[in-house]
Amino acid sequence: MLDLKTLAQNIRRLTPAKDRAPVQRVVQRLRDDGRVTPSRIVLDTELGVIGDRWAAGRSPKPDAQVTLMRFDVASVMTEGAEVAILGDNLFASLDTSAQNLPPGTVVRVGTARCEVTPKPHRGCKKFAARVGEDAWTLTGAPEWEAEQLRGVHLRVLDSGEGGIGYEIVVESRPAAPPDRGP
């Protein structure tokens, strides 16, 4: 596992897309903590990713239906190993920073439409166990917080199909608040 300094250096070299990027990995998390990586999925307004454990056997929270993480960051953190172990549903080399994808941003994922929710997506001990304490520390460090390296949560607005090779396209971002001045 990479140390904190090496992770930071490698991530700083990355240049993610701002407005559109192809989906590079799709993951359905199973009830037994297993993972499947189909080439296509259905995103549903009620169930999130059809077949994902998100809606199974608990009270699902609509502000965390689908998770999106940068594929390039995940590849650095997993040192090129399969990124599905991280448990996010969608991976694309799209800038997930708070500046680029603030809450309220609407993205099209294939034929589905989704909205970035305000719920923070933070790593947990499972994440640390999979990619190391230094990667977990980096994702939560104050100087990296706005980069949202762990990704963002999406709520499905309009059901549709997505998958590997489908594009994630930013359709709209919320208006910036007016500058109030001194």
Side-chain angles (χ1 to χ4, degrees):
M1 295 182 194
L2 298 175
D3 64 78
L4 190 61
K5 182 179 177 183
T6 304
L7 283 164
Q9 288 173 339
N10 290 349
I11 290 170
R12 281 189 183 101
R13 291 186 189 120
L14 302 173
T15 54
K18 297 287 187 190
D19 297 315
R20 66 184 329 127
V23 174
Q24 292 168 274
R25 182 73 74 246
V26 174
V27 179
Q28 290 169 310
R29 300 163 304 160
L30 306 177
R31 288 183 183 187
D32 64 359
D33 272 342
R35 310 271 192 269
V36 291
T37 55
S39 61
R40 291 193 171 135
I41 53 168
V42 174
L43 294 111
D44 182 80
T45 58
E46 298 295 320
L47 300 174
V49 174
I50 301 292
D52 187 75
R53 72 169 184 240
W54 173 81
R58 58 186 179 96
S59 298
K61 295 175 176 49
D63 60 346
Q65 282 182 320
V66 179
T67 54
L68 165 64
M69 185 177 180
R70 282 179 48 187
F71 183 81
D72 54 351
V73 169
S75 293
V76 167
M77 290 183 174
T78 61
E79 298 181 74
E82 176 54 61
V83 299
I85 64 166
L86 300 179
D88 296 282
N89 300 117
L90 300 168
F91 290 88
S93 294
L94 182 69
D95 181 351
T96 59
S97 70
Q99 181 178 354
N100 195 56
L101 295 182
T105 298
V106 176
V107 296
R108 185 170 31 83
V109 179
T111 62
R113 288 180 66 247
C114 301
E115 179 181 45
V116 176
T117 73
K119 180 177 176 60
H121 184 28
R122 296 200 167 89
C124 61
K125 285 294 183 181
K126 287 181 186 179
F127 177 78
R130 293 172 182 143
V131 293
E133 290 286 333
D134 283 352
W136 184 43
T137 299
L138 181 76
T139 63
E143 64 269 25
W144 287 92
E145 187 176 6
E147 294 303 313
Q148 300 183 147
L149 295 176
R150 190 63 192 92
V152 294
H153 288 288
L154 305 174
R155 180 175 61 92
V156 181
L157 301 173
D158 297 312
S159 299
E161 182 179 84
I164 295 174
Y166 285 72
E167 285 207 310
I168 298 178
V169 178
V170 176
E171 289 190 342
S172 66
R173 292 178 178 91
D179 184 15
R180 305 240 182 241

